[in-house]
Amino acid sequence: MRKFYMLAAMAAVVAVSCKRADLTDDIQVMPQGKPLTVEACLDKNLTRTTLDSDGLTLLWEAGDQLAVYSSFIGSEASFETTPRYSELYTAFMNSDMSDDFDDVSGLLYWIESGSLYPEYQKNGILTVTDASAGSAQGTFTSENTADAWFGKSDSAEDENYWFTAYYPAPSQEFLNAHPIKSFPCGSEDLGGVSLNLPWVMVNVPSVQDGKSWSRYQIVVCSGFDFLGFEDDNDPDNHNYDDGGIVSRQGFLNGSEKIRFASFQPLTSLLHFNLKVGALAPEDTYYISKIVISQEAIFDGNRYTDLYALSGDVPYFIFCNAPDRDDDTTLWNRYCKPVYVGNHLYQTPVGEAWEEGSAGLCNTITLQFDEEQKVTKDGTGEDYYAVAIPTNARPDSNYDNPKLVFSAYDASDNLILRARLKTPNRKNFETGAEESYGIGLEYGHKYDFTVTLNTLMDGEAGNAGEYNLINW
């Protein structure tokens, strides 16, 4: 399928600010992103996967790996006997939210279960067998025995384990350094009582090669739906079709199977061609790198530092249906999440959250192995960048967020630039186009052309960023 690549944190590229002339917003609009969906089914150690972006079915390659977490989550019945449950239940029933849910006990258990027993967590790497290379159906093996994946050896038959999978697999150091943690996501509706949301740190590299997109994207299967969306064929029960909930006894005796049936990409994929604008004084330019940044307007001011495009970012596993619920799964803000679900409408300005935002980066640098020749007719090459989705509504009174492509020559001089407005959003349920955009969206592949233009007067010789007010 896609070659395994150990995700590594790369050095952040810092843009220097300087003054430029007033900008016009009469710029190219990016086309609507096509949903990029990954479907897979893991039956014990058997996996079949397809990537539905342009009708292309991908094959497993030798060395492909999955990173897998195993977390003991107990049972709903045992959770209901704890003081923690009593505290949450009382707060929930006294809130305005109680009327919105038929099964409050189940809801609280699904939200809290991933954070109940971190001491029993296990993780490791599953590797595709050589015999599966070149096939859409692959067999994965683990160095751990089956029993070693269950951290609580004396768990009862009605107590469950939750398995999650990541592809491509990050390094083993990643797994050890960032186990699932609890983050108190407060809600005023609960009278100050917080809910514990499990999260892990993942990395979208800030320096990419512009070609190997599959090395940088993050695709996960949460293993089950925290929000308990109903199965149309079984509306009275939580939908286990996503696969990763089993008991130790059931799995070991063969009556239960670990199934990863709902992989989804957490990142956005930019696929573009390059050309030089017709008014440029030269027909040919040579560029060694492109720095992609992002503009958004908040409170009437234009910013480049509200939402990160790359770096180390908290992945909130609870928020596993971002298109459906407006959840922001990868928290790319420089402030704390304050709502359950990390809603995209949350203001980007607030209390700093160093634990989760210290590794964020506002840019993606495409560092080419060799200089790229760009002409007014184009390069004839395809370029790719993997980004953290913006997934945000910075200000409903202003325009959609924009992407800025800044091209540099071999001497690190900024020579060309393009600005593109991100498209309007499409309604998840109806497919109708909304009147506004939220920037880059989850699991979308954007196909477009970047027309690079020469700099405006006064830009040459400096970093060429806009004179912006930082909050």
Side-chain angles (χ1 to χ4, degrees):
M1 188 177 170
R2 290 157 287 177
K3 285 288 187 182
F4 164 63
Y5 187 84
M6 293 186 176
L7 296 177
M10 309 299 287
V13 179
V14 180
V16 180
S17 295
C18 75
K19 189 173 183 179
R20 63 166 291 166
D22 291 338
L23 296 170
T24 173
D25 283 335
D26 184 20
I27 62 174
Q28 177 185 352
V29 179
M30 290 173 55
Q32 276 283 351
K34 301 175 183 177
L36 183 69
T37 58
V38 179
E39 296 180 353
C41 179
L42 177 60
D43 184 353
K44 284 192 175 177
N45 59 359
L46 188 65
T47 299
R48 179 178 179 83
T49 187
T50 61
L51 178 62
D52 181 17
S53 59
D54 54 2
L56 179 67
T57 298
L58 302 181
L59 305 177
W60 292 110
E61 294 181 356
D64 275 343
Q65 296 183 313
L66 295 176
V68 177
Y69 280 98
S70 166
S71 300
F72 176 65
I73 61 173
S75 69
E76 186 176 331
S78 62
F79 178 58
E80 290 178 358
T81 66
T82 64
R84 173 65 174 166
Y85 171 79
S86 297
E87 176 189 33
L88 290 176
Y89 185 82
T90 299
F92 202 93
M93 296 307 294
N94 289 335
S95 73
D96 295 335
M97 295 187 293
S98 60
D99 294 336
D100 297 331
F101 299 93
D102 296 329
D103 182 11
V104 173
S105 297
L107 174 71
L108 295 176
Y109 171 65
W110 296 128
I111 292 175
E112 290 272 309
S113 59
S115 304
L116 293 176
Y117 307 101
E119 67 273 21
Y120 294 125
Q121 184 187 99
K122 297 288 185 179
N123 56 64
I125 300 294
L126 299 176
T127 305
V128 71
T129 62
D130 292 339
S132 297
S135 171
Q137 181 166 299
T139 300
F140 285 78
T141 59
S142 166
E143 294 183 359
N144 298 338
T145 63
D147 186 64
W149 281 94
F150 297 88
K152 192 174 188 300
S153 59
D154 60 346
S155 58
E157 292 186 5
D158 65 342
E159 293 182 316
N160 290 321
Y161 289 78
W162 164 46
F163 285 78
T164 58
Y166 297 74
Y167 180 82
S171 68
Q172 186 65 45
E173 290 72 22
F174 166 92
L175 291 169
N176 288 335
H178 301 287
I180 293 175
K181 302 176 181 179
S182 299
F183 177 71
C185 192
S187 171
E188 294 180 0
D189 292 331
L190 292 182
V193 177
S194 298
L195 293 168
N196 289 324
L197 306 183
W199 60 277
V200 297
M201 293 295 289
V202 297
N203 177 261
V204 177
S206 299
V207 179
Q208 303 176 18
D209 62 13
K211 296 290 184 178
S212 308
W213 61 270
S214 61
R215 296 180 176 182
Y216 311 121
Q217 72 168 0
I218 300 173
V219 181
V220 304
C221 181
S222 65
F224 79 103
D225 195 332
F226 275 97
L227 297 178
F229 288 133
E230 296 174 347
D231 184 347
D232 292 339
N233 298 320
D234 190 14
D236 295 327
N237 294 291
H238 289 288
N239 180 6
Y240 287 166
D241 287 348
D242 289 350
I245 302 297
V246 298
S247 68
R248 176 177 173 272
Q249 292 84 349
F251 179 79
L252 295 179
N253 67 28
S255 63
E256 300 178 32
K257 300 176 180 179
I258 298 171
R259 298 175 55 251
F260 294 129
S262 184
F263 273 88
Q264 64 175 346
L266 299 183
T267 45
S268 301
L269 178 60
L270 307 179
H271 167 228
F272 56 93
N273 306 115
L274 289 173
K275 63 184 299 185
V276 178
L279 298 180
E282 305 292 338
D283 291 330
T284 302
Y285 293 83
Y286 292 88
I287 60 176
S288 62
K289 70 178 181 182
I290 291 178
V291 178
I292 304 172
S293 56
Q294 187 169 221
E295 295 177 2
I297 294 177
F298 178 74
D299 245 3
N301 294 316
R302 190 190 305 269
Y303 298 95
T304 60
D305 58 356
L306 290 180
Y307 309 102
L309 284 173
S310 64
D312 295 316
V313 60
Y315 160 45
F316 281 87
I317 308 172
F318 175 87
C319 308
N320 63 342
D323 284 326
R324 182 167 181 168
D325 302 315
D326 296 337
D327 286 347
T328 300
T329 300
L330 296 182
W331 191 247
N332 61 342
R333 280 77 158 152
Y334 291 84
C335 57
K336 288 185 178 181
V338 295
Y339 299 110
V340 173
N342 305 337
H343 203 274
L344 66 85
Y345 288 94
Q346 180 181 328
T347 173
V349 178
E351 182 181 358
W353 184 38
E354 291 302 324
E355 185 175 11
S357 59
L360 294 179
C361 180
N362 296 118
T363 62
I364 299 171
T365 296
L366 303 184
Q367 186 69 59
F368 304 120
D369 292 336
E370 56 185 30
E371 284 185 301
Q372 303 294 296
K373 179 182 177 180
V374 187
T375 71
K376 293 180 180 179
D377 294 327
T379 64
E381 298 282 340
D382 290 324
Y383 299 92
Y384 296 91
V386 174
I388 297 173
T390 318
N391 204 55
R393 190 78 189 278
D395 200 321
S396 59
N397 295 322
Y398 293 90
D399 218 348
N400 301 349
K402 299 175 181 66
L403 293 181
V404 180
F405 294 76
S406 302
Y408 293 77
D409 63 16
S411 299
D412 211 30
N413 297 312
L414 174 60
I415 56 174
L416 300 166
R417 166 173 285 140
R419 297 173 73 239
L420 288 85
K421 183 166 66 174
T422 53
N424 287 345
R425 189 181 198 196
K426 283 190 175 181
N427 184 282
F428 180 80
E429 299 290 345
T430 66
E433 184 173 308
E434 306 280 6
S435 61
Y436 64 92
I438 59 174
L440 300 177
E441 297 191 57
Y442 285 90
H444 280 60
K445 176 173 178 262
Y446 298 89
D447 303 287
F448 54 96
T449 296
V450 175
T451 301
L452 295 166
N453 297 305
T454 49
L455 306 181
M456 299 173 67
D457 292 342
E459 284 190 310
N462 54 52
E465 289 300 314
Y466 310 122
N467 185 24
L468 303 173
I469 302 172
N470 296 323
W471 54 268

